[in-house]
Amino acid sequence: MKHHLPAGSTADGPFGLVVTPEVAGWDRSGLRVLELSGSGHTFGTGEFEMLVLPLSGSCRVTCDGRSFDVQGRRSVFSRVTDFVYVPRDSEVTVTGTGRFALPAARCENRLTPRYGPAGDVPVELRGAGPASRQVNNLCTPEAFEADRLIACEVLTPGGCWSSYPPHKHDEDRPGECVLEEIYYFEVSGPSGLAYQRVYGTDERPVEVLAEVRGGDVVLVPHGWHGPSMAAPGYDLYYLNVMAGPSPERAWLICDDPAHAGVRATWAGRPADPRLPLTSTMEKAT
């Protein structure tokens, strides 16, 4: 199984990226990126609940006879965006100009379509010093109702590490649950680059150390993942998409014991002063 998917390698029609559970070799998590230039595209959600999440641009989303106008943003580095949740077994039309992520989870229950205002997205700063990052909790269990889908954005200033210390979520046990995870990357600047690490155990091996650029994806079927390393001079964005088989929709992780002590070194230290990189207000050009 290939775990690093370079930008464009899974493109299909209006979708610049297509990662289905079948592509990833698992059961639940998926992601598409829809690219529109003033046109509309209609698709069925099938067994999947989804978000329509602008990476750039704005759109109108029509689902179940309701329409939602999404302000969106110029880029993932300009502001926190609004979004729309669309349920399984729906016909959805997205009309607009831009690039729109469709994080998806195969699910059992059909909820109602809903609009997620940017102002309601909890923005959290995690870590300290060179392990600082910003987390936009768009569709996490505490922030937004869904059946299976968990999705958040992480922004890491150039020179910092995030998804650190390395952690995993591949066992159902106290303090941990099974989640299949997709990392979708954007990097500031036309030459921007970053690195992503994933590693497993002797019993369940996986080995990734990938140089990633804008539009790349890394799949995490199991094992420890992190750090996500933003090269100096280039801010890093990634969209995390997760879903799993556990009855409870939860995001429970276990740190790699070899590096878990790093968290204790953050006490009393400030986050990187460049954070937050974005807010609900659009940055000036």
Side-chain angles (χ1 to χ4, degrees):
M1 172 62 63
K2 188 175 182 181
H3 297 101
H4 174 213
L5 306 176
S9 62
T10 63
D12 183 14
F15 297 100
L17 168 76
V18 177
V19 178
T20 63
E22 291 72 26
V23 168
W26 54 40
D27 298 319
R28 296 273 178 178
S29 298
L31 175 65
R32 298 173 188 255
V33 175
L34 177 63
E35 300 176 350
L36 298 175
S37 55
S39 58
H41 183 74
T42 299
F43 58 91
T45 58
E47 299 176 279
F48 295 85
E49 60 182 348
M50 300 180 183
L51 303 184
V52 180
L53 174 66
L55 300 170
S56 64
S58 59
C59 66
R60 170 169 284 190
V61 179
T62 302
C63 177
D64 287 359
R66 302 177 61 189
S67 292
F68 306 90
D69 290 319
V70 181
Q71 180 181 351
R73 52 190 169 184
R74 286 184 293 107
S75 80
V76 296
F77 297 106
S78 67
R79 64 165 293 186
V80 179
T81 190
D82 50 352
F83 62 94
V84 172
Y85 169 91
V86 293
R88 62 168 290 164
D89 300 319
S90 298
E91 183 175 272
V92 180
T93 300
V94 181
T95 305
T97 298
R99 301 170 61 250
F100 307 96
L102 307 176
R106 181 176 278 125
C107 65
E108 289 74 38
N109 298 306
R110 190 177 195 275
L111 308 184
T112 59
R114 280 165 289 132
Y115 175 70
D120 288 353
V121 175
V123 176
E124 175 187 3
L125 302 187
R126 293 184 187 169
S132 300
R133 60 276 206 178
Q134 170 185 340
V135 182
N136 300 335
N137 289 293
L138 295 154
C139 187
T140 55
E142 297 76 22
F144 193 86
E145 183 185 8
D147 188 44
R148 294 282 182 174
L149 179 63
I150 298 174
C152 70
E153 299 178 323
V154 180
L155 293 108
T156 309
C160 288
W161 285 14
S162 55
S163 279
Y164 192 73
H167 58 279
K168 73 179 183 72
H169 37 69
D170 60 11
E171 295 182 79
D172 273 321
R173 60 177 183 167
E176 185 179 355
C177 60
V178 177
L179 293 169
E180 310 152 350
E181 185 163 16
I182 300 168
Y183 276 65
Y184 168 82
F185 297 93
E186 298 278 353
V187 188
S188 66
S191 302
L193 74 160
Y195 294 88
Q196 177 67 44
R197 180 86 167 101
V198 183
Y199 57 99
T201 63
D202 291 341
E203 296 77 20
R204 301 184 73 189
V206 59
E207 186 65 38
V208 180
L209 178 55
E211 181 177 297
V212 295
R213 299 178 183 269
D216 284 14
V217 158
V218 168
L219 305 175
V220 184
H222 56 263
W224 311 105
H225 41 289
S228 304
M229 298 164 270
Y234 302 108
D235 296 334
L236 173 65
Y237 163 97
Y238 51 89
L239 172 65
N240 287 140
V241 182
M242 293 170 277
S246 302
E248 179 186 5
R249 178 177 171 248
W251 185 8
L252 303 176
I253 68 169
C254 172
D255 287 339
D256 183 344
H259 304 288
V262 169
R263 289 190 188 274
T265 69
W266 300 341
R269 299 181 63 190
D272 188 291
R274 292 170 289 179
L275 292 174
L277 288 177
T278 62
S279 70
T280 56
M281 300 296 293
E282 186 83 17
K283 281 188 176 181
T285 56

